Amino acid sequence: MKITPSSSYAHLSSQDAVAILDSSYGIAGSVDFLPSERDQNFKVTTEGKDQFVLKIASPFEKERLVDFQDEVLNFLIQGKFPFSIPTPVPDKNGNNIVRFKNQSGQERLIRLVSYIEGERLSEVAHKDGKLIRSLGKSVASLHQTLTTFDEEIPERDGFAWDLTNASKVISANLDYIDNVDQKHLLEKICENLETDIQPILQELPSSLLHNDANDHNILVGPPSAEGRNVLGILDFGDMIYGPSIYDLAISSAYAQMRSNDPLSIITTLVQAYNEVQPLSAAELEVLFPLICARLAVSVSLSATHTHENNTDPYLTVSQQDAWESLHSLGKIHSRLARDLLRDSCGYPPCPNNVKICNWLETHKSDFGPLVKHPLNDCLVFDLSAESSSLPGLDTLTDVDQVTKLLFDKMDDSKSEVGIGRYAEPRLLYASNLYVKTEGDFPERRTIHLGLDLFLPAESPISAPLDGRVHSFKNNDLNLDYGPTIILEHSSEGIRFFSLYGHLSSESLDGLRIGDLVKKGQEFCSLGHYPINGNWPPHLHFQLITDLLDMEGTFPGVAFPSQKDTWLSLSPSPLLMLDLPSDSQFSPTLSVENIQAQREKYLAPSLSLSYKNPLHIVRGWRQNLITDEGQSYLDCVNNVSHIGHCHPEVLKASATQMSLLNTNTRYLNRNITKYCRRLISTLPDPLSVCFLVNSGSEANELAFRMAHAKTGREDLIVVNGGYHGNTGATVAASSYKFEGPGGKGPGPSVFPVIAPDDYQGPFLRDDPKRGERYAQEVKLALKASHDSGTGPSLFICESLLSCGGQIVLPPGYLKAAYKFVREAGGICIADEVQVGFGRVGSHFWGFQTQDVVPDIVTMGKPMGNGHPIGAVVTTPEIAQAFNNGMEYFNTFGGNPVSCSIGIAVLDIIEQANLQAHALEIGNYLLAQLNDLLTRHEQIGDIRGLGLFIGIEIVSNKQEKTPRRDLAKYIVERMKDHGILLSTDGPKDNVIKIKPPLVFDKTDAMRLIQALERILVEDFVVT
Ligand SMILES: Cc1ncc(COP(=O)(O)O)c(C=O)c1O
């Protein structure tokens, strides 16, 4: 077969183009060269700024085909698409085609079409989900309209870009591929096309095709926080008549290029296409191989061009990317890709699954036991991400400990066998073997695809039905299967496999491929650790409907994002074995269900973080873990100060809870010990404690004390400040009363401007800025005096939190406290956010300002998640408050809370968390400051210890707050598995305030992710 040369330029000069525009179209304008494979294209800009594209057809193009393009475009523009296509512009005489003869007398066919604004998809760095879905839907709707065009397309014999010719094009050019691996890859694609794909293609529905929805021909809209849209589809010069699936294959082939997760781009695109134009199972069968085929054609033709010394960059532009794609797609088994695509289109993922499952169900009574003991009433373990019976995550891989725990439980329940559930999401797979390397999110394989039977090592295992040894292998990496056997079973036209993992090494001795294993035959035995992959002794038994050509191994756990596909490849062992019905995991409530119930039963004024909220079921150190066992790095929870679920807190709480929990009207050692410990961290004369249940309650009580001491009611508060959710504290919180739903300050509240030395009137380069901001406090004190009684108190967070992670400028509190005290007021330091060592250099935030407040309020980190708060004050103020009215608090100061509080103080001290906060905080600040120098949108980095803010702005000059960008960054960081949040008066400050166990590796991970996001299109444009 002769392959039509796909490229050849009919070079016209810019002067020719200008002359044609003038003479044929009556258009005066300038022209710029536009890249193209065969046509020669000029972008035309008229004096009135109208834009067109002048297209000079290749001299090899048949005239009828050139004409046909205009006919199709004129037909399409009558359709209703959410995107644009080029509109043909006739010449002065109404002709679609203009003929032009160059100086050597060669004739060129020329057309003019409208110009479509937009960025080429090939230039988009971050292809977001919305864009890919928009592309899928656009290609589908273009396809649907093209099918209604009833004119026949002229023949294009041997057209190289017709995928029907792909195997011929690839083989014809194989000689130009020098690299052996690359050549082998192309040969494999060719073979697959010829043997498996072409016979199916003939049966598929055909239609007129665009045939070139490559990423240079797709125009997309500007980046936005929500994602982009397709604006236009160009270049109808490659149209053919062929199987409709080609257009989807071509757009998928190019859309996934340069992505770090090609398969997820392809499945998203296909799913969106299918929503508009449903795909058949046969089309999905050929889709993935066709995607590879298109890339293979592209690299083959490019190799030819290179061989012919054709240096036009357009012809080889995406070759490196295409090769990289071919290599990464080549690693994916095409039947796995097919099954994932089937799943995304609502088909049962593995086509064999239904037949095999039906067969298993109807033959259930024929199968023999796996082990000697009956299984139907034995102990079923909960090994899920939510299991409360598992130890802390860092001891999960302590095989001695976990083995003892499980086998003790079996002993306790007098169960000979313990069952580990099928389809269960687990945290047990702690090695890097289980982490996804593609994509933003470090997804872990957590979904268990088999059934576990926990039994003593060396227990014999029998075959439940006849089978032949398909393969066996010692998968000897830590936390892998260890010695493994796969049996093949075939009966009545059904073929499936069973896998036996974590065996003894003797089980593989003398085994041969093809050996017959009879039902009931004890053909292997359980291994001990470490030989069995270093697990507690157990059998991993798994059914497999399609082995995907693997030998001696097959994944036993799957990524949650591919769960349905893998569960279809590995159906439930309950189909074969007589097991307790709860041997198969099923979630009690879906995430959607929980959300719906939340909306129904909870107050609407509660908010949820993130566009797609997370269902977190577990915390561990600085990690939050979802129901599917996926871990997120928690960079915002300053409540879990010493790390989520700290074992010492757990111990303190459980021990005291088992003894006594009551109010403070009895003598108890915990409360005195705790108050003594707390007071020892504070300077004199702060020596009297009140224990409460929250930060709000602490502030509310502090206000009462100040009012009692001063006999006045007026409050001086700082703009952006937040002090709690009770009536009095909301009234004192400018963050609330100036925010949505707020009614401004009440008559006794005097707000002062926030001492913000980045956005405020006095900037960081002013050494006197602290005192200047404090002058504002002086003015407010005067206003309070002038309007009535004078001030009762001044409350200020030691570093502003909701106000935008602001570090108070040097000298601020010192001057402000002086003015307040001179005016007879009480100085309250709100340490609810920042106390207990977070700022690194000091235990309390106010100490960084070299002041001693009259009252300190505390909360959040005190109980590491247990609700405790405190007010510590001077004996004098405490006495003034002691006016005869008892202060009673049902829960405040109870023995359990105090016991937890003591444990938290112990750990801060023993683990040196304050010094750690300083070291890691300084490291993080240095790294962030480095990012600041390179990224225009980072206006400011500020913070102390592990209390840090990143202010996101339009640019360093104007400093306009960019809330949308800050929100976008936070959402994208979540995509990378990192949790942050925004705050500040303009909600444009990203807050970093992780549990103090956050370490240098976490800091580096945060910086790397941030760095990647900061160059995404939406951020930089
Ligand atoms: C500075 C500050 N003070 C007080 C509070 C109120 O504490 P709680 O929510 O424990 O009542 C908060 C809570 O965010 C806070 O940030």
Side-chain angles (χ1 to χ4, degrees):
M1 177 196 230
K2 178 181 134 296
I3 307 296
T4 309
S6 57
S7 148
S8 201
Y9 275 94
H11 289 293
L12 255 70
S13 67
S14 309
Q15 288 89 332
D16 290 338
V18 171
I20 295 164
L21 282 165
D22 180 36
S23 59
S24 300
Y25 296 93
I27 288 176
S30 60
V31 295
D32 293 299
F33 175 77
L34 282 177
S36 169
E37 191 216 9
R38 289 195 308 284
D39 289 350
Q40 190 186 358
N41 289 342
F42 290 101
K43 179 178 172 186
V44 179
T45 310
T46 68
E47 278 153 13
K49 299 289 172 228
D50 289 333
Q51 294 182 317
F52 302 94
V53 178
L54 190 71
K55 297 178 76 70
I56 295 100
S58 150
F60 296 98
E61 211 71 272
K62 289 182 189 160
E63 179 166 351
R64 177 68 195 105
L65 271 170
V66 180
D67 223 11
F68 185 77
Q69 281 187 56
D70 271 356
E71 285 169 26
V72 173
L73 290 176
N74 279 321
F75 169 77
L76 287 176
I77 53 177
Q78 293 158 35
K80 281 204 170 57
F81 301 116
F83 55 89
S84 304
I85 48 165
T87 308
V89 181
D91 72 359
K92 285 192 221 162
N93 306 318
N95 299 319
N96 283 339
I97 296 181
V98 167
R99 290 162 197 281
F100 174 80
K101 271 206 176 104
N102 67 10
Q103 280 163 350
S104 32
Q106 289 171 318
E107 190 177 69
R108 296 284 180 269
L109 304 180
I110 293 172
R111 297 157 54 234
L112 189 69
V113 294
S114 61
Y115 178 83
I116 302 170
E117 278 298 344
E119 198 177 335
R120 286 173 195 263
L121 179 62
S122 54
E123 281 150 25
V124 172
H126 169 60
K127 295 173 198 159
D128 60 83
K130 183 168 177 238
L131 174 58
I132 296 302
R133 285 187 55 76
S134 164
L135 178 60
K137 285 178 182 276
S138 303
V139 173
S141 61
L142 177 63
H143 159 77
Q144 285 182 332
T145 312
L146 282 174
T147 54
T148 62
F149 186 72
D150 48 18
E151 211 157 309
E152 217 167 285
I153 182 167
E155 271 296 312
R156 286 192 110 131
D157 284 343
F159 184 41
W161 292 110
D162 182 343
L163 275 173
T164 310
N165 301 329
S167 70
K168 296 193 180 88
V169 175
I170 300 165
S171 19
N173 294 291
L174 270 179
D175 285 348
Y176 304 130
I177 309 286
D178 300 327
N179 180 300
V180 182
D181 291 340
Q182 291 184 337
K183 197 170 188 162
H184 181 62
L185 194 63
L186 296 186
E187 280 165 350
K188 251 179 68 188
I189 289 172
C190 262
E191 194 187 310
N192 178 243
L193 283 172
E194 282 161 16
T195 52
D196 299 333
I197 306 304
Q198 268 157 10
I200 304 176
L201 288 180
Q202 286 157 19
E203 308 298 320
L204 296 183
S206 285
S207 57
L208 179 63
L209 304 175
H210 175 279
N211 199 36
D212 197 15
N214 79 54
D215 51 353
H216 291 270
N217 289 338
I218 306 293
L219 294 175
V220 304
S224 78
E226 284 70 42
R228 300 192 191 224
N229 267 323
V230 168
L231 289 188
I233 299 184
L234 307 178
D235 196 350
F236 285 68
D238 279 4
M239 281 186 293
I240 56 165
Y241 185 83
S244 310
I245 193 71
Y246 284 1
D247 269 345
L248 178 57
I250 294 164
S251 52
S252 304
Y254 293 92
Q256 61 75 46
M257 269 191 194
R258 294 174 301 278
S259 149
N260 62 3
D261 194 358
L263 205 48
S264 92
I265 296 258
I266 295 172
T267 45
T268 307
L269 182 62
V270 171
Q271 185 180 40
Y273 182 101
N274 181 68
E275 284 167 21
V276 176
Q277 172 62 37
L279 293 158
S280 69
E283 286 178 311
L284 290 165
E285 190 72 33
V286 298
L287 181 53
F288 187 73
L290 287 175
I291 293 171
C292 298
R294 172 66 183 215
L295 294 167
V297 168
S298 171
V299 294
S300 300
L301 291 176
S302 171
T304 322
H305 292 310
T306 311
H307 178 76
E308 288 165 356
N309 281 332
N310 191 337
T311 51
D312 182 341
Y314 188 82
L315 302 176
T316 48
V317 61
S318 37
Q319 291 328 295
Q320 172 128 1
D321 296 332
W323 273 119
E324 276 169 21
S325 293
L326 274 170
H327 282 295
S328 60
L329 297 181
K331 288 187 201 137
I332 302 165
H333 195 288
S334 67
R335 290 202 300 278
L336 174 62
R338 173 202 64 191
D339 294 352
L340 289 163
L341 293 175
R342 283 172 60 96
D343 186 35
S344 73
C345 295
Y347 285 95
C350 173
N352 300 340
N353 173 281
V354 175
K355 230 160 83 183
I356 294 171
C357 290
N358 286 341
W359 187 87
L360 288 169
E361 261 182 326
T362 48
H363 290 77
K364 187 164 180 182
S365 56
D366 302 342
F367 301 126
L370 269 175
V371 292
K372 285 195 184 118
H373 316 279
L375 299 175
N376 53 5
D377 66 348
C378 59
L379 177 66
V380 177
F381 288 122
D382 177 3
L383 303 176
S384 73
E386 290 189 58
S387 170
S388 56
S389 54
L390 288 172
L393 296 196
D394 54 353
T395 46
L396 264 189
T397 48
D398 180 337
V399 65
D400 285 326
Q401 189 177 333
V402 178
T403 304
K404 182 168 176 345
L405 190 125
L406 297 177
F407 281 80
D408 281 356
K409 276 189 195 246
M410 282 156 57
D411 282 349
D412 291 349
S413 66
K414 307 215 174 347
S415 209
E416 305 278 0
V417 186
I419 292 183
R421 293 183 287 181
Y422 168 72
E424 186 173 62
R426 296 175 167 182
L427 302 173
L428 300 167
Y429 309 102
S431 105
N432 281 345
L433 280 181
Y434 298 94
V435 187
K436 191 172 170 185
T437 46
E438 305 86 33
D440 295 336
F441 186 76
E443 189 180 9
R444 278 192 167 270
R445 289 194 283 136
T446 55
I447 309 291
H448 191 228
L449 298 174
L451 179 88
D452 289 329
L453 298 181
F454 290 88
L455 283 156
E458 294 171 30
S459 298
I461 304 298
S462 312
L465 76 166
D466 290 354
R468 287 194 182 274
V469 175
H470 168 273
S471 50
F472 57 92
K473 187 176 167 196
N474 185 2
N475 298 291
D476 57 1
L477 292 176
N478 187 39
L479 298 184
D480 205 335
Y481 281 133
T484 312
I485 300 175
I486 296 176
L487 298 184
E488 177 177 346
H489 310 281
S490 37
S491 172
E492 301 166 11
I494 296 285
R495 181 168 172 258
F496 66 96
F497 304 86
S498 56
L499 179 148
Y500 308 79
H502 312 303
L503 304 177
S504 61
S505 37
E506 296 78 48
S507 301
L508 308 189
D509 289 348
L511 215 57
R512 281 169 315 181
I513 306 285
D515 277 355
L516 181 65
V517 178
K518 294 296 287 177
K519 171 182 163 185
Q521 184 183 330
E522 290 183 353
F523 71 107
C524 59
S525 62
L526 288 194
H528 210 305
Y529 56 86
I531 180 71
N532 71 350
N534 210 19
W535 294 98
H538 74 287
L539 171 73
H540 173 96
F541 171 74
Q542 186 172 339
L543 294 171
I544 300 166
T545 53
D546 181 350
L547 204 45
L548 304 174
D549 300 322
M550 288 188 217
E551 291 187 354
T553 190
F554 188 83
V557 247
F559 294 117
S561 62
Q562 301 179 344
K563 181 171 76 179
D564 291 343
T565 298
W566 286 98
L567 291 179
S568 160
L569 287 163
S570 283
S572 171
L574 271 86
L575 294 165
M576 181 182 260
L577 303 171
D578 194 13
L579 294 160
S581 58
D582 58 347
S583 307
Q584 173 161 344
F585 175 88
S586 56
T588 34
L589 271 184
S590 70
V591 169
E592 293 73 28
N593 234 318
I594 298 172
Q595 203 170 336
Q597 294 205 10
R598 190 182 149 110
E599 274 160 29
K600 190 165 169 198
Y601 300 119
L602 270 69
S605 42
L606 291 174
S607 76
L608 269 170
S609 298
Y610 301 114
K611 284 181 192 157
N612 295 314
L614 290 169
H615 181 207
I616 300 293
V617 296
R618 204 179 180 106
W620 182 248
R621 292 178 65 82
Q622 61 276 51
N623 304 300
L624 288 174
I625 296 155
T626 67
D627 53 337
E628 291 188 319
Q630 301 307 313
S631 185
Y632 285 83
L633 178 62
D634 180 359
C635 302
V636 269
N637 199 331
N638 58 342
V639 173
S640 295
H641 197 60
I642 60 172
H644 289 278
C645 299
H646 196 289
E648 289 303 318
V649 171
L650 206 68
K651 203 163 91 191
S653 146
T655 309
Q656 184 57 47
M657 199 70 160
S658 70
L659 284 175
L660 170 74
N661 201 17
T662 183
N663 63 43
T664 50
R665 284 185 174 139
Y666 303 98
L667 289 180
N668 187 282
R669 278 192 301 269
N670 287 0
I671 190 165
T672 48
K673 180 173 177 189
Y674 185 48
C675 291
R676 184 166 44 81
R677 290 279 303 273
L678 207 52
I679 287 164
S680 72
T681 65
L682 288 156
D684 284 340
L686 294 165
S687 56
V688 185
C689 241
F690 294 74
L691 294 177
V692 295
N693 309 291
S694 69
S696 305
E697 213 188 326
N699 282 326
E700 176 101 25
L701 177 59
F703 294 170
R704 285 180 59 202
M705 288 177 177
H707 298 337
K709 172 81 176 111
T710 58
R712 303 183 198 151
E713 300 280 317
D714 283 2
L715 278 63
I716 315 297
V717 302
V718 177
N719 271 351
Y722 177 64
H723 303 290
N725 57 33
T726 62
T729 52
V730 167
S733 301
S734 125
Y735 181 70
K736 289 289 175 198
F737 62 68
E738 295 294 3
K743 294 202 172 87
S748 55
V749 176
F750 295 82
V752 298
I753 57 165
D756 175 354
D757 59 8
Y758 173 69
Q759 294 278 18
F762 313 116
L763 299 180
R764 216 161 287 161
D765 56 1
D766 175 357
K768 291 257 175 250
R769 63 195 183 283
E771 286 102 280
R772 293 196 210 286
Y773 280 114
Q775 287 297 329
E776 302 289 321
V777 176
K778 194 174 182 181
L779 291 178
L781 292 163
K782 182 169 180 309
S784 161
H785 265 299
D786 293 350
S787 69
T789 57
S792 167
L793 62 94
F794 166 62
I795 182 163
C796 181
E797 296 164 69
S798 301
L799 283 86
L800 306 193
S801 172
C802 300
Q805 304 290 97
I806 291 171
V807 182
L808 302 180
Y812 177 67
L813 281 188
K814 203 156 215 170
Y817 278 15
K818 181 169 161 279
F819 297 141
V820 173
R821 284 174 177 148
E822 281 167 4
I826 299 292
C827 299
I828 303 176
D830 182 334
E831 289 275 343
V832 173
Q833 287 268 355
V834 297
F836 294 86
R838 174 163 297 278
V839 297
S841 56
H842 300 80
F843 197 80
W844 299 106
F846 66 77
Q847 291 171 315
T848 64
Q849 287 273 309
D850 194 20
V851 290
V852 179
D854 304 310
I855 301 178
V856 181
T857 57
M858 346 173 157
K860 290 184 191 285
M862 275 180 92
N864 208 50
H866 180 86
I868 329 178
V871 182
V872 183
T873 187
T874 63
E876 201 187 326
I877 294 176
Q879 201 45 50
F881 186 60
N882 187 21
N883 63 358
M885 183 192 285
E886 183 198 9
Y887 178 71
F888 176 70
N889 192 321
T890 303
F891 299 118
N894 70 67
V896 172
S897 298
C898 293
S899 172
I900 291 172
I902 294 165
V904 172
L905 288 177
D906 283 344
I907 298 298
I908 295 174
E909 215 173 284
Q910 286 159 20
N912 256 328
L913 289 180
Q914 184 184 324
H916 179 80
L918 183 65
E919 182 197 335
I920 305 300
N922 282 345
Y923 173 76
L924 193 53
L925 280 166
Q927 296 293 312
L928 288 167
N929 273 310
D930 178 48
L931 287 187
L932 174 128
T933 59
R934 284 181 282 122
H935 297 279
E936 197 52 27
Q937 291 75 14
I938 300 186
D940 191 31
I941 298 292
R942 52 190 177 242
L944 292 177
L946 282 173
F947 191 83
I948 294 173
I950 307 173
E951 179 145 3
I952 304 296
V953 294
S954 53
N955 58 57
K956 291 193 166 58
Q957 215 70 56
E958 289 162 13
K959 302 205 276 194
T960 311
R962 284 287 305 271
R963 175 181 191 270
D964 58 339
L965 214 52
K967 293 264 176 220
Y968 173 83
I969 293 170
V970 166
E971 280 286 341
R972 288 288 295 134
M973 288 293 275
K974 178 201 166 209
D975 295 342
H976 286 254
I978 298 171
L979 304 181
L980 292 162
S981 64
T982 58
D983 229 321
K986 304 284 182 202
D987 206 11
N988 66 319
V989 180
I990 298 175
K991 301 194 279 192
I992 303 180
K993 46 188 187 104
L996 293 194
V997 285
F998 183 91
D999 60 26
K1000 198 165 170 186
T1001 314
D1002 300 325
M1004 276 156 42
R1005 183 175 160 204
L1006 186 149
I1007 294 291
Q1008 276 163 12
L1010 199 54
E1011 184 134 42
R1012 279 170 62 182
I1013 293 163
L1014 285 169
V1015 294
E1016 287 180 1
D1017 304 326
F1018 180 58
V1019 182
V1020 293
T1021 45

